[in-house]
Amino acid sequence: MAVSSAGTAGETVPDSPVLSDVMAELAALEEPRHREVNEKHGDDHGVNLSKLRAVAKRLKTQQDLARELWATGDTAARLLALLICRPKAFDRGELDRMLRESRTPKVQDWLVNYVVKKSPHAEDLRSAWFADPDPVVASAGWALTSERVVKKPEGLDLEGLLDIIEARMKDAPGRLQWAMNQCLAQIGIEHPEHRARALDIGERLEVLKDYPTPPNCTSPFAPVWINEMVRRKSL
């Protein structure tokens, strides 16, 4: 089935591709070695992300095709959809449904960072997702909250956030724990008046203290992360 092109103003969009052709191209990019590595992180695809981005660059923005790619349920197709979509074209209900369908970490991360953060519905969804009983959905709410901690903290109850983190982060499921830990670190990094408490919470809870960190990378353990980022800001 041919898909109508829908590029943004000023863009040159290629002839409307056929969904089956794009899916065949993605299948041809599949590499068992990449799939093996990705599956260790919960992602069920084997497409090199640099090659995926090259496909997206060639296709440019095509909202109709993005929706069709998403509807396939295929992880690589959904990642491509998030690269070629128009974020502001999705309504609130679509974004909520898409998040709840995003059960692999990379798709959820890209949906939140590349699409939801650019949507006029971002704050509404942040509030709705923050306390959702599904920990994967809640982790997206916490990710959006971390964004506000850094860029628009006005109106946020930072002490209240630290209360929740202190009480719940230690026993939170993996993705939710990671998102709460990021929020803890950002509060400590960006808000000196809360830094001592953020450091204390991190030291006592010891979440991600032993997380394997490659050389020249900063540990996600909040006290180390906070202190390193503060040090860099002071240079």
Side-chain angles (χ1 to χ4, degrees):
M1 176 173 57
V3 181
S4 61
S5 64
T8 56
E11 287 183 326
T12 300
V13 180
D15 291 340
S16 302
V18 176
L19 177 64
S20 59
D21 291 341
V22 177
M23 294 300 295
E25 183 174 6
L26 292 177
L29 293 175
E30 175 83 15
E31 297 181 29
R33 179 173 58 86
H34 286 298
R35 176 174 285 273
E36 182 180 357
V37 172
N38 289 332
E39 286 182 342
K40 292 179 180 178
H41 299 94
D43 292 309
D44 57 348
H45 76 93
V47 178
N48 179 284
L49 294 182
S50 294
K51 293 180 180 179
L52 188 75
R53 290 180 187 278
V55 174
K57 184 176 181 180
R58 188 187 76 246
L59 292 173
K60 301 186 184 294
T61 301
Q62 299 197 57
Q63 183 68 10
D64 290 343
L65 177 58
R67 284 195 167 102
E68 291 203 3
L69 287 166
W70 183 272
T72 68
D74 178 80
T75 293
R78 285 185 164 179
L79 291 173
L80 180 59
L82 296 172
L83 292 175
I84 68 170
C85 73
R86 187 180 297 105
K88 294 181 181 179
F90 295 110
D91 64 33
R92 184 196 182 284
E94 281 183 289
L95 293 173
D96 182 72
R97 174 180 55 78
M98 290 167 72
L99 180 70
R100 294 177 192 280
E101 293 174 350
S102 303
R103 308 315 296 183
T104 62
K106 186 64 70 177
V107 172
Q108 186 193 3
D109 287 344
W110 282 22
L111 175 62
V112 172
N113 288 295
Y114 296 168
V115 181
V116 178
K117 286 182 180 179
K118 299 176 182 178
S119 166
H121 307 292
E123 179 58 20
D124 185 25
L125 290 170
R126 183 194 73 81
S127 298
W129 291 341
F130 183 81
D132 196 278
D134 183 334
V136 174
V137 175
S139 71
W142 278 90
L144 293 171
T145 299
S146 292
E147 176 92 347
R148 273 203 58 187
V149 165
V150 175
K151 296 184 177 180
K152 193 178 179 181
E154 298 80 11
L156 285 180
D157 179 3
L158 299 182
E159 281 290 343
L161 289 172
L162 291 174
D163 288 343
I164 297 171
I165 292 168
E166 186 171 22
R168 302 180 188 174
M169 183 172 74
K170 182 75 171 179
D171 299 318
R175 287 186 64 72
L176 178 55
Q177 184 185 71
W178 188 276
M180 294 174 79
N181 182 73
Q182 181 182 21
C183 190
L184 173 65
Q186 294 297 356
I187 291 173
I189 293 165
E190 301 293 335
H191 302 278
E193 68 276 20
H194 297 288
R195 186 169 297 148
R197 186 182 177 199
L199 288 167
D200 178 66
I201 291 171
E203 291 287 0
R204 285 188 291 103
L205 298 187
E206 298 187 334
V207 168
L208 300 177
K209 184 175 183 178
D210 299 320
Y211 189 85
T213 305
N216 302 318
C217 292
T218 302
S219 170
F221 179 46
V224 173
W225 187 357
I226 293 168
N227 286 326
E228 175 59 18
M229 293 300 104
V230 171
R231 183 192 69 80
R232 294 184 189 181
K233 285 174 174 284
S234 68
L235 295 178

